[in-house]
Amino acid sequence: MNLDEIRSLIRTVPDFPSPGIQFRDITTLISHGAGLAATVRHLADRAATAEATLIAGMEARGFIFGAAVAAQMGLGFVPVRKPGKLPVPTLGIDYALEYGRDRLEIDPGAIPPGARVVVIDDLIATGGTALAATDLLRQAGATITHALFVIDLPDLHGADRLRGAGVTVEALIRFAGH
Ligand code: AMP
């Protein structure tokens, strides 16, 4: 399945979760067996060129694609979690959202010395989440050279921000607007 066919499986829901937002919903993509498999294959091909030794994904939709890519490549998966979810002492990072703040946490023991971690999420918008995850994984000793997304919203310039942090950013699909 090619990228145009994958794109056609993503549902756009206007005005969710707030007026003016076009929500790019991957529910319809992941419920389609061939669509999910092709998306994972395209991401895994890109992760292979990054010579990843470990895959990280952000809660929650990054878990779906990240864990599937990791399994396909025979690599481990590190969940980058919302606060208070991990049962062990965590390494965390606070970051700004458009309105308010949020926090991500990892188990620092999940990052072995010399790990080359590829970050995967469903979508990059402002890049705040991916930048925070990259910072956090780097604090834990990982090398991050690549981040992969199913969808980029280039008008929000998140990919440019992440490139400014020295990360090669690739997305399978782009949508104009917010
Ligand atoms: P950001 O930190 O601004 O790059 O936002 C990225 C996170 O918010 C991703 O984990 C997405 O799942 C979610 N997100 C942001 N904007 C949208 C959108 N228009 N449609 C679907 N998910 C979105």
Side-chain angles (χ1 to χ4, degrees):
M1 186 177 284
N2 66 33
L3 297 179
D4 284 339
E5 291 168 305
I6 291 173
R7 192 178 204 278
S8 72
L9 292 171
I10 296 166
R11 172 169 59 193
T12 295
V13 180
D15 300 319
F16 182 87
S18 46
I21 303 289
Q22 302 264 78
F23 191 82
R24 307 299 178 176
D25 183 17
I26 52 103
T27 311
T28 41
L29 169 61
I30 62 175
S31 68
H32 190 286
L36 175 60
T39 304
V40 170
R41 249 190 327 270
H42 283 287
L43 291 169
D45 287 348
R46 287 161 173 78
T49 68
E51 298 179 348
T53 63
L54 205 55
I55 304 292
M58 284 80 98
E59 189 165 356
R61 290 182 295 257
F63 290 2
I64 299 166
F65 296 105
V69 168
Q72 173 139 330
M73 298 178 75
L75 299 177
F77 176 74
V78 177
V80 180
R81 300 225 57 178
K82 297 193 169 145
K85 302 285 189 184
L86 286 165
V88 292
T90 58
L91 194 61
I93 188 167
D94 294 302
Y95 65 102
L97 295 175
E98 195 175 353
Y99 303 103
R101 299 189 67 74
D102 212 340
R103 181 175 172 81
L104 294 174
E105 294 180 346
I106 57 169
D107 169 7
I111 313 292
R116 290 177 58 85
V117 181
V118 169
V119 171
I120 295 186
D121 204 357
D122 68 325
L123 181 146
I124 182 163
T126 66
T129 309
L131 266 171
T134 298
D135 270 9
L136 182 57
L137 291 159
R138 283 177 171 165
Q139 281 178 36
T143 298
I144 314 284
T145 59
H146 285 69
L148 307 177
F149 302 89
V150 181
I151 302 162
D152 179 20
L153 306 183
D155 294 343
L156 295 179
H157 304 294
D160 295 335
R161 286 177 71 200
L162 201 50
R163 289 185 186 107
V167 179
T168 299
V169 180
E170 293 188 59
L172 304 183
I173 292 156
R174 272 154 281 278
F175 285 105
H178 289 215

